[in-house]
Amino acid sequence: MISAQRYADAVRPVLDRLVDSQADAVDRAADLIAGALRAGGVLQAFGAGHSEAFAAELVARAGGLVPSNRLSLHDLVLHGDASRDVLADPKLERDPTVAHRLFALAAPQPEDVFVVASQSGINGSVVELATLVKRGGHPLIAVTSVEHTARVASRHPSGHRLADLADVVLDNGAPYGDALLPLEGGGAVCAVSSVTAALLAQLLTAEVVRRFHQAGEVPPVYLSANVPGGDEHNLALESRYAGRLRRTA
């Protein structure tokens, strides 16, 4: 029987395996992020589809890193000149040309570091953005399902997958197809990549902050805007990156 308890029982070992298996990769990714931020850079995070949840977990939230931007397909309308009708295309993330507009809107500086999330790691916008990131000389951290991406063909003209281009690959531990619980007659239900991506985002944050502390520096971390003094604290930190951080509702 499919149930909440069965899903919870299935998720726990996935999370435990992720913490153990990705410890080295998290360390290497945290080195890249901390190095970039300590040099005055900004963390640029992107995910399309449900992988947007990873970027949202990493950027502009209580306890998170202030020098961070969330890149999104919605930027084409919110910050670019595209018509909102473009977002009605369910296959927009498969279009490699989209990445060029996203990268231009991000306007990264040389010190910036990128984290790109994609369960499959094969869609055109994701792979093309990764290509542009590396062409620009930026460190690239990929968050993907190693099992899933190995079993599907790239949709990018180069034939590359996201993982092929990254300096560090973080395996989100999700199975092929993402869902954990098999159904009688085929298929599966209850995805896990959003859960594991959230864990990876917080593991990265913790390790980046640890590196600031080891260097004897105060990490630029958000307070909740819903506690006294939170707005003032956050605005003071954001002012250090004037014009470089995008915040929307």
Side-chain angles (χ1 to χ4, degrees):
M1 293 289 292
I2 302 298
S3 68
Q5 186 60 55
R6 186 177 172 197
Y7 179 69
D9 290 342
V11 165
R12 289 189 185 100
V14 174
L15 299 181
D16 288 341
R17 286 195 300 271
L18 182 147
V19 171
D20 292 338
S21 68
Q22 299 307 295
D24 289 343
V26 167
D27 275 342
R28 287 185 281 118
D31 284 341
L32 292 177
I33 297 172
L37 301 191
R38 293 182 63 218
V42 167
L43 170 61
Q44 309 277 2
F46 174 71
H50 281 91
S51 292
E52 279 193 287
F54 171 81
E57 186 70 20
L58 200 58
V59 175
R61 65 161 304 153
L65 300 165
V66 172
S68 57
N69 275 324
R70 178 163 65 96
L71 312 184
S72 167
L73 295 176
H74 291 82
D75 293 350
L76 302 174
V77 176
L78 290 175
H79 304 291
D81 57 5
S83 165
R84 65 181 181 179
D85 294 340
V86 72
L87 300 178
D89 181 1
K91 295 183 179 179
L92 182 63
E93 69 174 300
R94 298 185 183 182
D95 182 0
T97 66
V98 166
H100 292 262
R101 287 179 280 170
L102 290 175
F103 191 76
L105 289 169
Q109 294 193 6
E111 300 82 6
D112 291 357
V113 59
F114 282 74
V115 183
V116 178
S118 172
Q119 163 71 9
S120 67
I122 63 171
N123 283 313
S125 66
V126 170
V127 177
E128 186 71 7
L129 181 63
T131 302
L132 295 173
V133 167
K134 294 311 301 173
R135 190 177 297 164
H138 302 281
L140 173 64
I141 299 157
V143 179
T144 192
S145 166
V146 170
E147 177 183 342
H148 190 137
T149 199
R151 293 177 59 179
V152 288
S154 173
R155 292 188 174 122
H156 190 270
S158 69
H160 288 145
R161 301 174 180 84
L162 172 62
D164 298 329
L165 302 167
D167 297 291
V168 178
V169 176
L170 294 172
D171 183 3
N172 68 17
Y176 175 72
D178 204 350
L180 276 185
L181 304 181
L183 294 169
E184 292 184 12
V189 67
C190 297
V192 71
S193 64
S194 296
V195 178
T196 56
L199 176 59
L200 282 170
Q202 297 306 329
L203 294 176
L204 284 174
T205 300
E207 285 300 320
V208 170
V209 168
R210 184 164 75 93
R211 282 153 176 75
F212 271 86
H213 286 160
Q214 288 174 331
E217 301 174 4
V218 178
V221 173
Y222 278 110
L223 288 178
S224 170
N226 299 308
V227 301
D231 284 343
E232 294 78 6
H233 170 90
N234 296 338
L235 287 172
L237 288 177
E238 287 179 343
S239 68
R240 302 178 186 175
Y241 306 92
R244 300 182 61 198
L245 306 182
R246 296 204 307 259
R247 298 292 180 256
T248 54

